[in-house]
Amino acid sequence: MKTLKVIIVIVFIFTEINVFGQDPSFSQFYNNQTYFNPAFVGIHGGMMANLTYRRQRVNIPGRFETAYFNFDSDLSCINGLGEIGISAFRDVEGMGYLKNTGVNLMLSTRNFLSSNTFVQFGTNISFIQQTADFSNFIFSDQYDEINGFKNYSEFKYLTDKKTIFPDISFGFVIKGGDGPRRGLFNSN
């Protein structure tokens, strides 16, 4: 079993996968650890809930806002279980024309290297919906040098573009010093 874990870690480290994406901007990323690395799920011991809301560029037209909710728990005291978490986010950019909405299930497992040092591996399975409403965009061919703004564009777009896709991510954390013990209900 230990050999299998080592092989899986080596495969993840040396595997090259081309990915494309845009994540929401969080000014205090340390408060959203599980969004960036699923291995942080349950790392503090016990249960933890987090709600983050950010609105950027409030003085310009349009909305740039992000909301993120996370709940995770350390269930390592129950035999055979590790840490589990759920989260959801919504990111709106520019008058609501670009929207990302996602729901995540995060799982992690902890392996102790010594009495107070451990490595924690995590995975995040997400379903994300991206929406773009092209009917409200203004394209460069809608401006005329003589007449100014015109109400039509040559750009061909769908009336409402929605895409739903899965997203999987992996991570690990090594933590030493004072931290959670082997189980949630241990008093040591």
Side-chain angles (χ1 to χ4, degrees), residues 91-110:
D91 186 42
V92 179
E93 299 177 16
M95 299 179 121
Y97 303 148
L98 302 173
K99 297 176 186 173
N100 289 324
T101 306
V103 177
N104 312 313
L105 174 65
M106 299 167 286
L107 304 168
S108 65
T109 183
R110 182 177 302 153

Side-chain angles (χ1 to χ4, degrees), residues 36-55:
F36 296 107
N37 187 350
F40 279 106
V41 170
I43 201 163
H44 302 292
M47 294 181 208
M48 188 173 95
N50 180 29
L51 178 63
T52 303
Y53 174 79
R54 180 177 183 191
R55 183 164 183 206

